[in-house]
């Protein structure tokens, strides 16, 4: 959950490392630092705080050198202090390291090194790695790194810089992401592709237990036992402009506004005039016919997308579907048969729990499909197949456009399964396809109501608690709306299935508890109306997200946000837009750090 970066080449490394760290800041932002090799010594500048604090300090120093490493931290071992910030040096000052991950046996290693007289300057687990490299160094940096890695339990992506071999950086990974960027006369290392996009789009995905060595004009990869590996260079289809704010105040607002085109992109090439084409997945029809159960595994927002997916797979494709939070799934010993299909949903493709869930399912014989956004991410390499979301880089920590892309991908997959299994008629299929084509326009229509949502945020931002209610396929959207409000505004918000209110949560309702309710004109409309009345009778202020043209709702709701009329299955994707905007504007009025909410990181690569 930290970000690491490395550079070696012909330019001054400092601005490249700083810019890369800004692009990795979504991975962690409680402290940061860089180390540069300059005049045959390693210079380190690091601090608690954000990259902008680091940048100020760097300006006061003479940080010029053509190789270096950098880090942005999300604290696990040791609080976010200057001393605990990376890079860390060994006791001789000849080796510097940055690390993303957790070393589980660091205490044993630390006491062993302390007995040998090593003095530690931080509380981190990382410092043991660099002290071990120093201990094992005998003229070859990659050998010292390999020897050290054999002693570590846990996860890591590391980059190492040394005065002993100044024209080289060594990096390695186990469980945390690492890419190598291949330039002309320069090489890059990073936790994620956006960090190096301004310089190269040629990348090599480093795999678990691989060690990579970079020099200005060459690179090579070998395994922990010294065997050389042949690696493929991939060309990334994202460009640098995709990772800019493009004039918006926050990435989150930009990403919310991109959702019409994102959905178009997810559907493009996969949805034909009157048909659906997912031949890119290269899955035999027989396999689809034989699926007896689907397990969906994911975390956070991706989990909410999965909950919508359950409705689609059961309704259209008639396949029983279970959805699990990945951190629960991995320990519950699920009853997976070889006829089951596991769908792992992850924007980043690096979420540790989702990966563990996928591995558990595969180990039990399940075929697997990843729905992922980041090209080459771990999940895409581990699942049997990947359906890419094609949402472009998502930088805001609060996921928005990846969510609508996930919903779109689930619509495609469920429709395809239904088509192959003949569980829907041709007429139904064509109607669904027509609706899918309309989705981007519906999303854009919802976005046009942003000024009304902003006004509503002005009216409600001072409340401390919210209830979000919905039924059926929209209940996961209430969960997603509540999550958005919580994570970026720090206001407590809870989602309930509206029918569950009377079983307890209704006791919470009074005039200080606004209730946001999704009440589309679908099969459950009348049921939700009854639930609204129950809340209204207890003086709740009611914000209704309702279908355009629904005048009846006016006599129940305090405030109304309208969305276009769509068939029941498509309400989730339109209903979520006002909820994202509401959370955004409330957080903005409260002056929150919207793109980097406290305590969070974009990809959670630790358990
Ligand atoms: O990258 P993933 O989709 O696997 O991430 C899963 C969650 O960590 C993520 O959705 C998280 O809940 C977001 N902060 C939600 O906005």
């Amino acid at each position: 959950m930290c970000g690491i970066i490395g550079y070696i080449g012909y330019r001054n490394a400092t601005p490249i490392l700083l810019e890369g760290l800004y692009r990795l800041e979504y991975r962690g932002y409680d402290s940061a630092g860089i180390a540069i090799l300059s005049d045959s010594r390693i210079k380190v500048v690091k601090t608690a705080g954000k990259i902008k604090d680091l940048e100020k300090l760097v300006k006061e120093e003479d940080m010029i050198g053509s190789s270096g490493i950098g880090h942005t931290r999300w604290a696990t071992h040791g609080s976010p202090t200057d001393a605990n910030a990376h890079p860390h040096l060994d006791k001789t000052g000849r080796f510097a390291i940055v690390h993303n991950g957790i070393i589980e046996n660091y205490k044993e290693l630390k006491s062993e090194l302390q007995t040998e007289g090593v003095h530690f300057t931080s509380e981190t687990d990382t410092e043991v790695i660099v002290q071990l490299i120093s201990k094992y160094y005998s003229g070859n940096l990659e050998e010292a790194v390999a020897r050290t890695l054999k002693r570590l339990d846990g996860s890591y992506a590391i980059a190492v810089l040394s005065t002993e071999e100044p024209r080289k950086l060594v990096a390695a990974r186990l469980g945390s992401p690492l890419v190598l960027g291949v330039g002309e006369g320069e090489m890059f290392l990073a936790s994620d592709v956006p960090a190096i996009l301004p310089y190269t789009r040629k990348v090599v995905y480093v795999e678990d237990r691989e060690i990579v060595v970079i020099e200005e004009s060459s690179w090579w990869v070998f395994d922990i036992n010294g065997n050389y590996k042949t690696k493929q260079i991939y060309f990334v289809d994202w460009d640098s402009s995709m990772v800019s704010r493009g004039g918006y105040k926050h990435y989150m607002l930009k990403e919310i506004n991109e959702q019409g085109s994102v959905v178009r992109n997810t559907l493009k090439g996969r949805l034909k005039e009157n048909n659906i084409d997912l031949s890119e997945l290269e899955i035999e029809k027989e396999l689809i016919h034989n699926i007896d159960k689907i397990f969906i595994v994911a975390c956070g927002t991706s989990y909410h997308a999965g909950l919508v997916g359950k409705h689609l797979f059961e309704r259209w494709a008639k396949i029983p579907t279970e959805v699990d939070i990945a951190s629960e799934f991995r320990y519950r010993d699920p009853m997976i048969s070889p006829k089951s299909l596991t769908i792992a949903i992850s924007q980043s493709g690096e979420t540790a729990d989702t990966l563990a869930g996928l591995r558990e399912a595969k180990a039990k014989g399940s075929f697997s499909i990843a729905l992922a956004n980041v090209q080459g991410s771990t999940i895409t390499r581990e699942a049997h197949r990947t359906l890419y979301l094609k949402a472009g880089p998502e930088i805001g920590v609060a996921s928005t456009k990846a969510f609508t892309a996930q919903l779109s991908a689930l619509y495609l997959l469920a429709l395809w399964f239904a088509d192959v299994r003949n569980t829907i008629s041709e007429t139904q299929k064509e109607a669904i396809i027509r609706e899918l084509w309309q989705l981007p326009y519906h999303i854009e229509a919802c976005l046009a109501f942003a000024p009304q949502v902003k006004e509503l945020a002005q009216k409600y931002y001072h409340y401390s608690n919210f209830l979000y209610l919905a039924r059926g396929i929209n209940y996961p959207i209430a969960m997603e709306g509540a999550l958005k409000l919580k994570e970026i505004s720090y206001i407590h918000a809870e989602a309930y299935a509206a029918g569950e209110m009377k079983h307890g949560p209704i006791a919470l309702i009074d005039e200080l508890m606004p209730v946001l309710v999704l009440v589309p004109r679908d099969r459950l409309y009348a049921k939700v109306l009854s639930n609204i009345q129950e809340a209204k009778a207890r003086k709740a202020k009611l914000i209704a997200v309702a279908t355009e043209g629904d005048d009846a709702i006016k006599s129940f709701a305090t405030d109304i946000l309208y969305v276009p009329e769509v068939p029941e299955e498509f309400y989730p994707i339109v209903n979520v837009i006002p909820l994202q905007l509401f959370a955004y504007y409330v957080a903005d009025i409260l002056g929150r750090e919207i793109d980097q909410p406290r305590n969070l990181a974009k990809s959670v690569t630790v358990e």
Side-chain angles (χ1 to χ4, degrees):
M1 309 233 303
C2 305
I4 69 168
I5 182 144
Y7 174 79
I8 190 160
Y10 55 88
R11 312 185 217 205
N12 181 13
T14 301
I16 296 171
L17 297 177
L18 282 174
E19 188 182 351
L21 288 180
Y22 274 117
R23 286 165 187 252
L24 291 172
E25 203 172 14
Y26 70 87
R27 300 180 64 85
Y29 31 83
D30 60 37
S31 40
I34 59 170
I36 296 287
L37 201 63
S38 178
D39 296 333
S40 307
R41 69 184 189 92
I42 297 175
K43 285 187 178 174
V44 176
V45 177
K46 58 182 186 172
T47 181
K50 299 205 160 200
I51 312 295
K52 61 179 180 338
D53 304 309
L54 173 69
E55 190 173 9
K56 276 188 213 137
L57 289 179
V58 165
K59 281 192 182 136
E60 292 161 17
E61 302 285 329
D62 183 25
M63 293 292 277
I64 296 176
S66 56
S67 63
I69 53 179
H71 189 267
T72 179
R73 181 166 188 247
W74 187 87
T76 54
H77 291 71
S79 47
T81 59
D82 293 357
N84 289 334
H86 301 213
H88 290 285
L89 290 173
D90 76 308
K91 62 175 189 213
T92 65
R94 291 174 305 152
F95 303 91
I97 192 169
V98 287
H99 168 220
N100 168 31
I102 290 179
I103 304 307
E104 286 158 7
N105 61 338
Y106 84 100
K107 282 202 176 129
E108 296 93 288
L109 295 169
K110 189 168 178 173
S111 30
E112 173 190 314
L113 288 159
Q114 280 169 328
T115 332
E116 293 166 11
V118 177
H119 170 70
F120 281 79
T121 57
S122 77
E123 302 158 314
T124 65
D125 50 343
T126 303
E127 199 181 339
V128 299
I129 314 179
V130 74
Q131 301 290 8
L132 280 174
I133 292 171
S134 172
K135 170 176 161 172
Y136 291 136
Y137 185 76
S138 60
N140 183 304
L141 186 57
E142 52 269 41
E143 269 174 32
V145 168
R147 216 172 142 193
T148 299
L149 298 182
K150 286 184 182 159
R151 305 251 2 240
L152 306 181
D153 293 336
S155 62
Y156 53 77
I158 55 166
V160 183
L161 174 73
S162 173
T163 53
E164 294 290 328
E165 295 178 59
R167 295 322 304 157
K168 182 191 271 186
L169 292 184
V170 178
R173 77 161 267 181
L174 176 62
S176 300
L178 180 66
V179 292
L180 150 66
V182 180
E184 297 291 327
E186 55 186 352
M187 299 288 160
F188 307 82
L189 296 163
S191 298
D192 201 355
V193 169
I196 54 176
L197 273 182
Y199 308 101
T200 183
R201 289 165 75 178
K202 289 200 276 184
V203 302
V204 175
Y205 297 104
V206 182
E207 309 269 350
D208 278 351
R209 294 188 176 78
E210 287 182 345
I211 297 172
V212 50
V213 181
I214 58 170
E215 298 177 344
E216 290 99 326
S217 299
S218 57
W219 58 273
W220 62 98
V221 177
F222 58 95
D223 70 19
I224 206 156
N225 297 315
N227 304 307
Y228 285 91
K229 305 279 293 276
T230 310
K231 300 289 290 182
Q232 190 182 345
I233 298 181
Y234 290 87
F235 189 77
V236 180
D237 60 6
W238 292 353
D239 68 43
S240 197
S241 68
M242 289 168 137
V243 285
S244 76
R245 278 210 310 271
Y248 285 92
K249 187 171 177 189
H250 297 99
Y251 280 109
M252 182 182 178
L253 189 58
K254 176 185 177 227
E255 289 159 4
I256 289 175
N257 277 286
E258 281 172 353
Q259 290 178 105
S261 49
V262 161
V263 169
R264 266 184 207 104
N265 220 26
T266 312
L267 302 178
K268 200 165 83 188
R270 293 157 169 175
L271 206 57
K272 308 287 175 200
E273 184 70 22
N274 268 325
N275 224 329
I276 175 148
D277 180 4
L278 288 183
S279 52
E280 66 188 273
L281 285 176
E282 296 180 354
I283 298 177
E284 300 289 333
K285 290 192 173 168
E286 199 190 334
L287 190 147
I288 298 170
H289 275 292
N290 289 337
I291 297 171
D292 63 0
K293 190 165 192 173
I294 294 178
F295 291 91
I296 299 181
V297 186
C299 302
T301 289
S302 301
Y303 167 69
H304 298 153
L307 291 172
V308 175
K310 171 183 168 70
H311 287 263
L312 304 174
F313 289 116
E314 293 189 340
R315 208 175 282 189
W316 290 348
K318 310 287 178 232
I319 308 176
T321 303
E322 281 186 30
V323 191
D324 275 75
I325 293 172
S327 54
E328 294 294 319
F329 179 82
R330 61 186 293 191
Y331 295 115
R332 84 166 165 88
D333 198 14
M335 291 175 56
I336 297 171
S337 80
K339 283 187 165 186
S340 64
L341 165 71
T342 301
I343 302 177
I345 310 178
S346 174
Q347 186 285 132
S348 62
E350 300 292 350
T351 301
D353 286 319
T354 308
L355 284 167
L358 170 67
R359 287 171 193 149
E360 167 80 7
K362 279 178 69 185
K364 290 187 161 171
S366 176
F367 188 77
S368 59
I369 301 178
L371 298 193
N373 194 37
V374 177
Q375 197 181 333
S377 54
T378 307
I379 211 165
T380 67
R381 283 175 283 122
E382 294 203 9
H384 292 100
R385 300 288 187 274
T386 297
L387 186 60
Y388 276 107
L389 302 176
K390 300 189 179 180
E394 190 180 66
I395 310 288
V397 165
S399 186
T400 53
K401 65 174 180 174
F403 181 68
T404 38
Q406 286 164 349
L407 293 184
S408 309
L410 287 162
Y411 286 126
L412 289 173
L413 210 53
L415 177 62
W416 187 47
F417 287 179
D419 189 30
V420 172
R421 292 163 70 100
N422 282 320
T423 48
I424 49 166
S425 67
E426 273 303 300
T427 326
Q428 272 176 302
K429 182 175 89 176
E430 284 167 19
I432 292 171
I433 289 174
R434 271 198 305 279
E435 277 309 320
L436 282 171
W437 282 123
Q438 290 307 308
L439 280 184
Y441 300 103
H442 292 321
I443 288 172
E444 278 151 8
C446 293
L447 288 168
F449 283 108
Q452 282 93 314
V453 185
K454 195 172 178 177
E455 268 176 38
L456 208 67
Q458 279 292 355
K459 189 168 166 188
Y460 286 94
Y461 76 92
H462 57 278
Y463 285 92
S464 312
N465 298 288
F466 281 77
L467 274 182
Y468 280 58
L469 302 181
R471 277 178 178 254
I473 198 166
N474 286 295
Y475 172 42
I477 301 306
M479 296 166 85
E480 175 59 9
L483 174 63
K484 288 285 91 84
L485 191 68
K486 274 186 275 214
E487 68 179 332
I488 59 167
S489 73
Y490 318 147
I491 292 173
H492 175 242
E494 235 28 85
Y496 272 96
E500 189 65 9
M501 284 295 292
K502 51 190 170 297
H503 300 289
I506 200 163
L508 290 168
I509 291 186
D510 60 18
E511 65 277 15
L512 294 178
M513 172 74 88
V515 176
L516 193 151
V517 59
L518 302 178
V519 53
R521 259 204 309 234
D522 62 9
R523 276 181 312 139
L524 297 170
Y525 177 73
K527 304 277 175 205
V528 181
L529 276 193
S530 317
N531 302 134
I532 292 182
Q533 278 161 309
E534 291 157 12
K536 194 177 165 70
R538 277 131 192 118
K539 301 202 180 99
K541 297 206 166 47
L542 287 166
I543 308 168
V545 177
T547 306
E548 234 160 25
D550 179 1
D551 291 330
I553 194 71
K554 289 182 183 157
S555 52
F556 301 103
T558 321
D559 291 285
I560 306 169
L561 294 170
Y562 282 115
V563 295
E565 178 155 21
V566 291
E568 183 165 316
E569 293 86 347
F570 297 100
Y571 272 113
I573 206 163
V574 293
N575 279 339
V576 78
I577 307 292
L579 303 198
Q580 294 169 341
L581 286 167
F582 183 68
Y584 172 80
Y585 287 121
V586 168
D588 194 35
I589 293 163
L590 291 170
R592 305 296 193 224
E593 291 236 37
I594 292 182
D595 285 330
Q596 293 165 357
R598 68 185 181 201
N599 306 336
L600 294 178
K602 181 73 179 160
S603 55
V604 184
T605 54
V606 292
E607 191 181 342

